[in-house]
Amino acid sequence: MRAGVGYLSQGSAWAYGLFDGAFGFAWLLGSLLMGYLYALSPAHAAWAALALEALALLSLVPLARRGVG
């Protein structure tokens, strides 16, 4: 990912900071969600993880069709 950020921003430190900040915030939100679901039931957390992974995979399909990456 960092290589992509560097390519798009020509090495701007601000772009790296923005990317890392957004990545960290997304990680925090995901951890809070999974912790909450695990507190309800480990099965809830497992199903949520499976569903989110499937959504992530589906989001890559258009990129694969365009030949990106």
Side-chain angles (χ1 to χ4, degrees):
M1 278 310 252
R2 287 186 185 266
V5 172
Y7 175 74
L8 292 174
S9 66
Q10 285 79 32
S12 170
W14 186 85
Y16 283 116
L18 182 64
F19 173 77
D20 284 338
F23 184 81
F25 187 67
W27 193 316
L28 171 69
L29 291 179
S31 295
L32 290 173
L33 174 68
M34 294 304 287
Y36 173 75
L37 291 174
Y38 190 83
L40 292 176
S41 164
H44 284 97
W47 281 110
L50 183 67
L52 291 172
E53 288 290 334
L55 285 174
L57 184 62
L58 288 175
S59 71
L60 293 175
V61 170
L63 294 174
R65 286 187 180 158
R66 285 193 321 190
V68 176

